[in-house]
Amino acid sequence: HVQLVESGGGSVQAGGSLRLSCSASGYEYSIQCMAWYRQVSGKEREGIAASAIGLAYRYLGDSVKGRFDVIRDSASNTLYLQMNDLRPGDTAMYYCAADLRGGPRCYDRVRGGMLDYGGRGTQVTVS
């Protein structure tokens, strides 16, 4: 079983930056695919960023490309989401997710919301 704990959320003014962290424990050394999702109340959860072991390229959704980046620190089993140029439309609950399956299909699973493990989320508010 994998446990994921998100941190780093908060309130920020438009144009500002935040860095979210997701710490993994449990079978953390078996995790192949990690991702960030966000969800606005009443809307579907959106996969916005992901990193897969063995893949040189990261996944970034169109809504965040050019402003956000995802960084994985394998040594500490932590996934970061660096968020720059934040906009009020980025206000959401941000969740971390992980899966023991990897490879190129990792990003397909992220887009399909099919990762096996998820955290409780951290709130980001942009005003």
Side-chain angles (χ1 to χ4, degrees):
H1 190 67
V2 173
Q3 294 85 41
L4 302 169
V5 178
E6 303 94 337
S7 61
S11 297
V12 64
Q13 291 188 341
S17 298
L18 279 176
R19 191 177 203 186
L20 305 184
S21 300
C22 171
S23 179
S25 61
Y27 290 105
E28 64 268 27
Y29 292 102
S30 298
I31 295 174
Q32 298 295 310
C33 178
M34 293 186 77
W36 286 99
Y37 288 82
R38 66 185 182 184
Q39 187 170 22
V40 177
S41 180
K43 296 188 176 181
E44 289 189 2
R45 191 170 294 194
E46 175 191 11
I48 57 171
S51 174
I53 295 291
L55 296 183
Y57 55 95
R58 303 180 296 279
Y59 168 74
L60 291 167
D62 289 341
S63 62
V64 303
K65 201 172 293 183
R67 299 186 299 122
F68 291 12
D69 198 7
V70 59
I71 304 106
R72 181 170 181 174
D73 183 345
S74 297
S76 64
N77 297 298
T78 303
L79 187 73
Y80 299 97
L81 183 67
Q82 178 65 43
M83 305 186 294
N84 300 321
D85 189 23
L86 283 161
R87 304 166 181 170
D90 296 317
T91 296
M93 184 70 81
Y94 284 72
Y95 298 90
C96 178
D99 205 295
L100 304 186
R101 301 166 294 176
R105 291 201 63 197
C106 164
Y107 300 153
D108 292 334
R109 293 190 188 98
V110 170
R111 285 186 283 267
M114 296 186 292
L115 301 194
D116 284 344
Y117 302 100
R120 293 190 173 186
T122 185
Q123 177 68 36
V124 172
T125 302
V126 185
S127 59

